Amino acid sequence: MLFSRFPRVQLATLPTPLQHLPRYGALANHPKVYIKRDDFMALGMGGNKLRHLEFWLGAALQQGADVIIACGRPESNQCRLTAAAAAKLGLKCILLHNTEKPDFLQGNILLSHLMGAQSIYLGEIDEDARQEQALALMESLKSEGHNPYLIGSDVPLGCLGYVNAALELHQQALAQNIDLRHVVIVGAMGGTAAGFLYGTALLGHPFHVHVISVEYPKEKIWSILERNFNNISSLLELTPNAKLAEVATVHAEYLGPGYAQPTPEAIQTVRDLAQTEGILLENVYTSKTVWGMRDLVARGIISPQEATCVIHTGGGPALFAQAELYQPR
Ligand SMILES: Cc1ncc(COP(=O)(O)O)c(C=O)c1O
């Protein structure tokens, strides 16, 4: 009902599993650690962006789009999942990468190529310049009679996917008799976390949400979350039952040297979760998030008495592009 005004295509495999992590929990000194497996979906190797894409591509189809454009670096999960969704829907997909053409394709870019996307390499330019190129490509496609849709041009619409994820997790926890008190989620550009926070606020704040920043310092991610939170509210025309500041705490202390630059603790966390639970992370988004959860327990911010769930947002294929970190010595 909440989302019925918005066209949506089914891409994600929902609900994603909610699993207990007894062996990783023992390592983290917390017996009630859970993971929500948004990495575990049937399309294109899954991940958080499929939830966003359900709404973006719903809008694209409603507008009669025939070409889908996405932008990102070659390691972008969003590009890979856009390629997967476009393949499934029979739409042409063009990816704009702000990098030189790689000599050898691996990880996400290899998969995007396999799924039929056309990659255009723009050289080492910044995101603003890349956006200008995307808009120029849109104009040129239109002049040829195409109807292109640019992924990510409507941020709050994509966030609805994670509003739904919060409602979904709440239902699952109730059904499994878990008194869930903390959720730990990643924040990069912040759309995923903002949607989740808004959904949590709609529910009246049954759990506290810890956002682990992996891209921006604290003030910047907070202002992004605030803006997105308010924009989702306007889009849904609803006032949530809790304020952002009541629902969320942002932690930027796990960012390390910067975006996509792994810390020693995060690198070790990939091994720890793999070797205790057989679950694979990567070093841009999810290893810092799981390490953050463990450290919040160690610092007493999350009590081991209180059930805690970390959201696994996917990104597994990026691990193959990080192979040098894990070669046997
Ligand atoms: C695997 C994965 N996790 C988390 C994120 C972060 O999402 P957001 O940019 O919405 O904060 C991304 C973003 O691309 C991602 O690919």
Side-chain angles (χ1 to χ4, degrees):
M1 266 197 351
L2 188 58
F3 306 113
S4 53
R5 277 192 295 126
F6 304 96
R8 184 173 172 188
V9 280
Q10 197 265 309
L11 299 171
T13 315
L14 305 180
T16 55
L18 173 61
Q19 297 173 334
H20 187 212
L21 298 181
R23 283 174 39 75
Y24 185 74
L27 212 57
N29 295 313
H30 191 317
K32 299 181 193 168
V33 173
Y34 295 82
I35 193 164
K36 182 150 174 69
R37 300 290 306 273
D38 276 13
D39 62 315
F40 190 82
M41 296 181 185
L43 184 68
M45 296 184 78
N48 61 329
K49 294 293 165 163
L50 283 183
R51 291 190 188 261
H52 302 246
L53 283 160
E54 290 200 334
F55 288 94
W56 283 330
L57 290 179
L61 289 183
Q62 190 183 48
Q63 292 163 26
D66 59 350
V67 184
I68 307 299
I69 302 172
C71 302
R73 297 190 61 88
E75 54 278 9
S76 162
N77 296 301
Q78 177 162 297
C79 285
R80 172 200 14 120
L81 290 170
T82 303
K88 181 177 163 70
L89 298 173
L91 299 169
K92 183 175 169 59
C93 177
I94 304 180
L95 303 176
L96 293 185
H97 305 295
N98 45 327
T99 187
E100 302 298 337
K101 186 173 190 292
D103 295 332
F104 185 79
L105 301 188
Q106 60 182 349
N108 279 313
I109 182 91
L110 174 67
L111 301 185
S112 302
H113 170 68
L114 268 175
M115 292 185 286
Q118 176 192 346
S119 281
I120 298 176
Y121 299 95
L122 303 169
E124 291 294 340
I125 57 173
D126 66 20
E127 287 181 12
D128 290 340
R130 185 184 71 192
Q131 183 67 7
E132 271 176 36
Q133 298 269 356
L135 296 176
L137 177 63
M138 296 273 287
E139 288 315 309
S140 113
L141 286 165
K142 282 182 197 162
S143 71
E144 290 165 13
H146 287 290
N147 187 359
Y149 181 89
L150 180 59
I151 291 298
S153 50
D154 187 343
V155 174
L157 182 67
C159 292
L160 297 185
Y162 269 85
V163 176
N164 187 46
L167 310 185
E168 183 184 302
L169 176 58
H170 182 56
Q171 282 305 317
Q172 280 176 308
L174 289 177
Q176 293 183 32
N177 245 333
I178 302 165
D179 181 18
L180 190 60
R181 304 296 296 282
H182 299 271
V183 174
V184 181
I185 192 166
V186 64
M189 299 294 281
T192 302
F196 195 90
L197 290 166
Y198 192 85
T200 307
L202 274 186
L203 289 164
H205 185 208
F207 32 72
H208 193 73
V209 184
H210 302 268
V211 179
I212 307 294
S213 180
V214 298
E215 185 153 358
Y216 296 125
K218 199 164 179 166
E219 296 69 35
K220 178 150 184 191
I221 181 77
W222 186 261
S223 72
I224 293 174
L225 292 174
E226 237 172 2
R227 189 181 63 231
N228 286 338
F229 191 90
N230 293 333
N231 289 343
I232 299 166
S233 203
S234 309
L235 183 66
L236 287 174
E237 298 172 353
L238 273 177
T239 308
N241 302 313
K243 293 188 171 44
L244 178 62
E246 296 171 290
V247 178
T249 310
V250 166
H251 305 274
E253 58 272 37
Y254 305 107
L255 174 59
Y259 176 71
Q261 297 188 44
T263 60
E265 295 85 358
I267 292 170
Q268 182 56 34
T269 299
V270 172
R271 289 196 192 90
D272 288 343
L273 198 68
Q275 292 173 17
T276 55
E277 303 284 354
I279 296 174
L280 296 165
L281 304 172
E282 48 64 62
N283 279 300
V284 181
Y285 302 104
T286 52
S287 63
K288 287 179 181 173
T289 308
V290 173
W291 165 251
M293 177 190 65
R294 180 170 168 184
D295 193 56
L296 292 175
V297 175
R299 290 163 58 198
I301 295 169
I302 292 179
S303 156
Q305 265 55 270
E306 297 180 337
T308 299
C309 178
V310 64
I311 311 292
H312 190 329
T313 48
L319 194 56
F320 295 102
Q322 300 160 0
E324 75 284 357
L325 293 172
Y326 296 106
Q327 295 305 306
R329 278 177 230 119

